[in-house]
Amino acid sequence: HNDAFPGNHPLYAGPLGYNGSKAAMELISQADVILALGTRLNPFSTLPAYGINYFPSQAKLIQVDINEARIGLTKPVTVGIQGDAAMVASGILEKLAPTAGDADRSNREALIKTTKAAWELEL
């Protein structure tokens, strides 16, 4: 499902993988940390698409899944957490400072906006 994160949110870039969003693939390729909440990271969402080997091999991967057998099944994880994705996300948010993510936020938002716009022009 592509509905875990609201599609109308300005930071939403679309789904990854086969028939996914080239914008999302270009953006995630620049990540140094990936928080994968409740996703199996199956091959359809991690294998190259549109000629882009986009899944960043050097990024630290934190994978959260209710099913421990899915953690690290497709991609090596730095941190694996077995648990309910919503509960884990709430726990992480409780630990973050109110200013978490503020540094360079406007530049990240602009990059997402322009990358999505470029992909929409290709469609």
Side-chain angles (χ1 to χ4, degrees):
H1 300 284
N2 298 326
D3 57 358
F5 191 78
N8 62 351
H9 192 284
L11 298 180
Y12 177 78
L16 295 171
Y18 183 73
N19 286 334
S21 163
K22 189 174 177 183
M25 294 174 211
E26 289 177 2
L27 291 164
I28 201 168
S29 73
Q30 301 173 46
D32 54 359
V33 176
I34 298 169
L35 175 58
L37 285 168
T39 174
R40 295 173 300 198
L41 294 174
N42 67 47
F44 287 111
S45 63
T46 59
L47 290 175
Y50 302 112
I52 305 170
N53 189 9
Y54 61 89
F55 205 87
S57 61
Q58 300 305 312
K60 293 183 182 347
L61 176 59
I62 304 165
Q63 185 178 0
V64 179
D65 201 292
I66 195 78
N67 182 348
E68 69 179 304
R70 296 291 183 183
I71 298 172
L73 187 62
T74 307
K75 295 290 181 188
V77 298
T78 306
V79 177
I81 302 171
Q82 180 187 7
D84 178 81
M87 291 177 66
V88 172
S90 292
I92 292 170
L93 285 172
E94 287 174 9
K95 300 291 183 188
L96 293 175
T99 58
D102 285 354
D104 205 32
R105 180 184 303 270
S106 60
N107 286 335
R108 288 192 313 275
E109 289 172 343
L111 175 63
I112 292 167
K113 185 177 181 178
T114 57
T115 305
K116 284 171 38 177
W119 170 234
E120 288 173 12
L121 287 175
E122 286 188 44
L123 293 176

